[in-house]
Amino acid sequence: MMLLDAWHYILAHPAQFSRALGVHIALSASALMLAALISIPAGIAVARRGGLSLAVVNAANVGRTLPSLAVLALVMPLLGTGFAPALFALTLLALPPIVTHTIVGMRGVDADVVDAAVGMGMTRSTLLRQVELPMALPVIFAGLRTAAVQVISGAVLAAFIGGGGLGDFITAGIAMMAIPQLLVGAIPVSVLALGTDFLFGALQRRMTPQGLRTA
């Protein structure tokens, strides 16, 4: 019955729902893209520097323990409210898993393969493009997969700082004790998170060499 009421609410407010869904997707996709553009090059740069890479991984692990709402609250005094501070906060949330997996993936490349490529006369840039990155890509993509799900879920909390998105329905539903309106936000977010996890998982499996795939 509540699901039916939620569906009727969407039918009665199609423009409002479409706008919130669009903001949620734009916010999540933008944060993931920015985090990837920062984290992947940074992870590659420090991966072969033992002490520095360990320090970065430890810092990233500390960052992963911060609650999403706490990160959003911390940026409010600096950036105010709205889409931009929500984007900044969600980008921060996405950084740790991507940079950690990038470092792990790069450090996991077989040293014998690297030595053989160097022996064939490959330059450092060619080695990175043709050997190291392709071999590390499945692990890097696992970090993107984790970050994507975290960002989609965390974007719900953007409603608390005026960032918009599907979280608006959830906060309004809680405030008014209107469960159908809460479900209008909660169900699409869950579907987005599950769908994204499935899509990234399928892409990750395609990038993994046949002999390393698991069921």
Side-chain angles (χ1 to χ4, degrees), residues 102-127:
T102 300
I103 292 172
V104 171
M106 293 296 294
R107 290 180 68 86
V109 175
D110 194 329
D112 291 337
V113 174
V114 174
D115 290 341
V118 171
M120 293 171 60
M122 281 192 180
T123 63
R124 186 71 188 102
S125 60
T126 303
L127 176 66

Side-chain angles (χ1 to χ4, degrees), residues 56-190:
V56 171
V57 169
N58 288 336
N61 287 334
V62 171
R64 295 178 75 168
T65 65
L66 294 175
S68 303
L69 189 57
V71 176
L72 288 166
L74 287 172
V75 301
M76 279 183 62
L78 301 174
L79 301 176
T81 60
F83 186 93
L87 175 60
F88 180 80
L90 289 172
T91 301
L92 289 180
L93 289 173
L95 292 174
I98 302 176
V99 73
T100 300
H101 280 76
T102 300
I103 292 172
V104 171
M106 293 296 294
R107 290 180 68 86
V109 175
D110 194 329
D112 291 337
V113 174
V114 174
D115 290 341
V118 171
M120 293 171 60
M122 281 192 180
T123 63
R124 186 71 188 102
S125 60
T126 303
L127 176 66
L128 177 63
R129 290 196 312 271
Q130 297 185 7
V131 178
E132 293 178 312
L133 268 181
M135 294 184 70
L137 197 57
V139 180
I140 296 173
F141 218 82
L144 288 169
R145 177 183 181 182
T146 301
V149 174
Q150 288 181 348
V151 165
I152 290 172
S153 303
V156 169
L157 301 175
F160 287 102
I161 61 171
L166 294 169
D168 285 343
F169 295 114
I170 296 175
T171 55
I174 293 173
M176 297 185 296
M177 294 300 293
I179 303 301
Q181 190 171 352
L182 185 152
L183 294 177
V184 168
I187 293 175
V189 169
S190 300

Side-chain angles (χ1 to χ4, degrees), residues 9 36 41 47-48 55 66 82 97 113 162 205 207 210:
Y9 183 94
R48 297 300 182 187
L66 294 175
V113 174
R205 285 190 293 274
M207 293 176 184
Q210 188 72 34

